[in-house]
Amino acid sequence: MMILMPQTDSALELSFRMGQALLENGAEISRVQETMERVVQSYQVESFNVYVLTNAIFVTGTEAGVEHAAKLKHVPSTSTHLGRICAVNQLSREIAQGEHTVAEAFAQLDSIETLPYSPLPLAVLGCAVGSAAFSYLFGGSPFDAFVAFFCGLALECYLYFAGKRGMSKFLTNLSASALVTLCGGVLFLCGLGHNMDKIIIGSIIRLVPGVALTTSIRDFFHGDYLSGAIRMLDAFLVGGCIAVGVGFVVKVLSTLTGGALL
């Protein structure tokens, strides 16, 4: 990550930091640009130009007669944090209403940037319940949902481990999808569950890049074709990794068991 900003405690830097926070946490390009423009307008910056991509922000502006420039390159695989996005949007609304000085806004932004993710036990439970619910929703039996529940437990624990190890996004999705398929296949072969496909569908729903795909479509509608194409490509690559992970394990188990999974 590289940030170039020569002046501190300025409206330009505040706008830049807020845009960075939105982009890093998964906001769409139009929201990032709109928020940054709203902030500098509220503090009456003389001139401001911004160009936002999926992995970069370029800013030029003049404040108090001094021209400033900034460039940001961020890690594309940063996880989505909707709580931080909502908090930054709320801060921008309060700034537009004149409720904060620049210093006060900086202090509030510092606290927003440290908002934690859900505690691990809650995240594990949420993943397990979500896996079971989607397995049942897609036509699985209660026994299929029961198996998907345990697959969801294993998946979230593995994702936490992979995040701590700094594993790449594509390797994480590839190995995680293979893991939950293996867990579901073993439990299915032990007599738990009725439909292996419904178990797998429910178990991998946590990995599906729905936010990236939705955001790419919204970027296309707002005319941000380059950013939309980048996010779309990212979503398809992640989906491909999931498919490869699931397909490989299903093929191996089917070969070993004589097609018992099919």
Side-chain angles (χ1 to χ4, degrees):
M1 182 181 293
M2 178 172 65
I3 303 175
L4 303 174
M5 178 62 74
Q7 182 178 357
T8 59
D9 295 334
S10 69
L12 277 173
E13 184 185 1
L14 175 64
S15 170
F16 177 76
R17 284 268 308 277
M18 291 177 69
Q20 173 189 347
L22 288 172
L23 196 60
E24 286 182 335
N25 289 285
E28 62 268 21
I29 302 304
S30 59
R31 185 181 299 275
V32 175
Q33 185 162 332
E34 178 187 359
T35 299
M36 295 179 68
E37 292 173 347
R38 181 184 300 169
V39 170
V40 296
Q41 289 173 2
S42 301
Y43 290 115
Q44 299 179 343
V45 173
E46 288 96 315
S47 67
F48 178 76
N49 294 285
V50 57
Y51 181 61
V52 183
L53 295 173
T54 304
N55 59 351
I57 299 177
F58 301 93
V59 176
T60 61
T62 302
E63 184 177 9
V66 180
E67 184 175 351
H68 303 287
K71 181 174 73 172
L72 161 70
K73 292 183 178 179
H74 77 103
V75 180
S77 60
T78 304
S79 300
T80 300
H81 194 308
L82 297 179
R84 292 177 185 173
I85 293 176
C86 292
V88 173
N89 287 333
Q90 180 60 32
L91 176 59
S92 69
R93 296 186 189 98
E94 294 172 359
I95 290 173
Q97 294 170 1
E99 298 181 13
H100 299 290
T101 64
V102 174
E104 292 171 346
F106 265 114
Q108 191 162 339
L109 181 59
D110 288 338
S111 63
I112 291 173
E113 291 175 337
T114 58
L115 286 175
Y117 290 90
S118 300
L120 179 60
L122 182 59
V124 170
L125 179 61
C127 183
V129 172
S131 297
F134 274 102
S135 178
Y136 186 76
L137 180 65
F138 286 125
S141 68
F143 292 101
D144 297 330
F146 178 76
V147 175
F149 179 89
F150 286 98
C151 292
L153 289 176
L155 173 61
E156 191 63 35
C157 291
Y158 178 77
L159 292 176
Y160 177 80
F161 168 79
K164 288 294 185 181
R165 300 280 295 186
M167 193 179 298
S168 70
K169 177 195 295 186
F170 298 113
L171 183 58
T172 297
N173 284 281
L174 182 64
S175 57
S177 58
L179 174 66
V180 295
T181 305
L182 179 62
C183 293
V186 170
L187 293 175
F188 179 79
L189 293 173
C190 290
L192 298 176
H194 298 148
N195 304 285
M196 185 60 190
D197 57 333
K198 302 302 188 297
I199 294 173
I200 294 175
I201 291 173
S203 300
I204 65 173
I205 203 70
R206 163 72 171 82
L207 303 173
V208 174
V211 174
L213 184 60
T214 302
T215 303
S216 70
I217 295 173
R218 295 184 67 173
D219 287 340
F220 278 124
F221 280 132
H222 285 94
D224 299 312
Y225 300 117
L226 180 57
S227 297
I230 293 173
R231 291 186 188 270
M232 183 73 73
L233 178 60
D234 179 72
F236 278 113
L237 288 175
V238 170
C241 289
I242 297 172
V244 170
V246 171
F248 176 77
V249 174
V250 168
K251 181 63 176 179
V252 170
L253 291 178
S254 297
T255 301
L256 293 176
T257 59
L261 293 179
L262 304 178

